[in-house]
Amino acid sequence: MKRVYSKVMGVICMAATIFSVATSSVNVSAAGFYNPSKSQGQTKTTTQSRTSTGSSTTTERKSTSGNKTLLTKEKETVSKSSYLTSEQEKILAKLENDYSKINWGVQYSPKDMDGIIISVSSYMEDTMPFLVIGITNIYNDDVTFSATGYAKGKSGQEVADISIYETAIRPGNTIIKSVYCDSTPTGEIQWDNIELPEVYETSAYATGDWTFTTDSDGYYMVDYSIKSDDYMMPGYVTAVLVDSNGNILDMAYNFTTDKGYTVSDSIKFYEKEYSRRVADVAMFTNPLIED
């Protein structure tokens, strides 16, 4: 597996960001709501054991940050803006993936798509701002998610084009994308189109383990292993470093076309110290069954 992209974080911009919502009309899905009490194979997350695959997540933190000295000063957390119903909030609270590890600035559903949760956060890489978008499926069935739009800046100007296409997001799972912005985003996204096309692939039930440690040069890294009873391809495996308030400090990911019942590799970060203490790692992936 090759690391195709890694971001290094400087100072987070969430505290100064205004989170609001703008959506246009979208197509409707006929699927029912996700029931967390059923065994759907979503990602499980605990503080000491957890995995991050398209299904179940059990990650094991076997080591710490070594001899690093981390800053402990915390910044003010962003105030959340939720446009969700109480039923949606309850479903999100019961999910066993790493969704709740992140301090999302705004959460909402597209019109007539109550089973799709769009969540938005942000962070800075040096002086470059990034918008982070999470798409969570709380329907009972796999969904293909397709959307285009643009992120807005403080004067309402377009600061980034957004295009997301993800096949077969598993019930109870979240995929996340980061988008570079020309200037600081407000968190508002103007969606030109959001659709749930016909699903032609199938998500894999999977579990995984990860170890958060440092390499010989003192850089953070996550060793992970994803396992499934199905012959799968994990695709993107994303690791997100967060502080104790859930604010994003850094993101890095691997993309792999490797296939099998077990896929293992490492995700490396290229920063030794952050402006705040690294408190946890959130892992995301959405493996698909391969024929």
Side-chain angles (χ1 to χ4, degrees):
M1 185 187 299
K2 295 181 178 179
R3 181 186 63 83
V4 296
Y5 194 66
S6 177
K7 301 194 193 68
V8 178
M9 145 24 180
V11 180
I12 200 165
C13 66
M14 288 178 58
T17 299
I18 302 170
F19 287 92
S20 56
V21 57
T23 60
S24 59
S25 297
V26 294
N27 293 347
V28 184
S29 169
F33 259 169
Y34 172 69
N35 183 350
S37 64
K38 296 181 180 179
S39 178
Q40 296 286 344
Q42 68 278 12
T43 7
K44 290 185 178 180
T45 294
T46 63
T47 49
Q48 290 192 339
S49 80
R50 151 212 214 105
T51 89
S52 217
T53 60
S55 302
S56 167
T57 294
T58 25
T59 352
E60 189 173 356
R61 178 170 294 185
K62 297 178 181 176
S63 54
T64 61
S65 55
N67 295 321
K68 286 179 176 296
T69 300
L70 301 179
L71 299 178
T72 58
K73 183 179 179 181
E74 300 289 351
K75 277 199 171 184
E76 179 183 357
T77 58
V78 67
S79 58
K80 289 179 177 288
S81 297
S82 177
Y83 297 83
L84 303 178
T85 66
S86 59
E87 182 180 9
Q88 290 173 315
E89 294 275 10
K90 289 177 182 177
I91 293 173
L92 287 176
K94 292 180 180 179
L95 295 182
E96 295 181 320
N97 64 11
D98 284 354
Y99 175 86
S100 63
K101 297 281 185 179
I102 295 177
N103 182 21
W104 300 106
V106 65
Q107 302 160 297
Y108 57 92
S109 289
K111 182 180 178 182
D112 298 325
M113 288 186 185
D114 291 344
I116 298 297
I117 308 298
I118 296 175
S119 306
V120 182
S121 185
S122 64
Y123 76 106
M124 293 286 287
E125 174 186 326
D126 295 329
T127 59
M128 298 181 295
F130 285 82
L131 199 64
V132 179
I133 304 168
I135 307 298
T136 303
N137 174 22
I138 61 170
Y139 285 124
N140 275 319
D141 304 306
D142 285 353
V143 296
T144 292
F145 181 86
S146 177
T148 57
Y150 62 90
K152 291 186 177 182
K154 294 180 179 180
S155 299
Q157 79 278 23
E158 179 179 343
V159 296
D161 287 324
I162 296 172
S163 179
I164 301 174
Y165 183 81
E166 189 78 19
T167 62
I169 303 175
R170 190 169 185 81
N173 203 18
T174 300
I175 61 101
I176 64 172
K177 305 289 184 182
S178 64
V179 181
Y180 167 71
C181 299
D182 294 331
S183 60
T184 302
T186 63
E188 183 178 358
I189 299 173
Q190 176 62 48
W191 295 105
D192 297 323
N193 185 60
I194 301 178
E195 295 180 316
L196 301 182
E198 181 179 353
V199 179
Y200 63 90
E201 293 187 285
T202 304
S203 66
Y205 175 87
T207 61
D209 296 292
W210 59 260
T211 301
F212 181 45
T213 183
T214 55
D215 64 15
S216 58
D217 295 319
Y219 291 96
Y220 288 110
M221 63 184 298
V222 178
D223 295 321
Y224 66 86
S225 178
I226 301 171
K227 301 177 182 179
S228 177
D229 290 336
D230 298 308
Y231 192 73
M232 63 168 176
M233 183 178 75
Y236 283 97
V237 181
T238 305
V240 183
L241 303 185
V242 297
D243 67 16
S244 61
N245 294 314
N247 296 321
I248 297 173
L249 299 174
D250 203 349
M251 289 180 60
Y253 60 83
N254 285 340
F255 178 79
T256 178
T257 56
D258 293 345
K259 303 172 184 178
Y261 297 100
T262 301
V263 176
S264 301
D265 206 344
S266 298
I267 296 177
K268 295 184 178 182
F269 294 87
Y270 292 89
E271 183 73 17
K272 292 184 178 181
E273 295 184 0
Y274 295 94
S275 60
R276 296 177 310 286
R277 182 178 63 86
V278 178
D280 206 348
V281 181
M283 299 288 289
F284 298 89
T285 188
N286 189 67
L288 302 177
I289 293 176
E290 286 292 317
D291 296 330

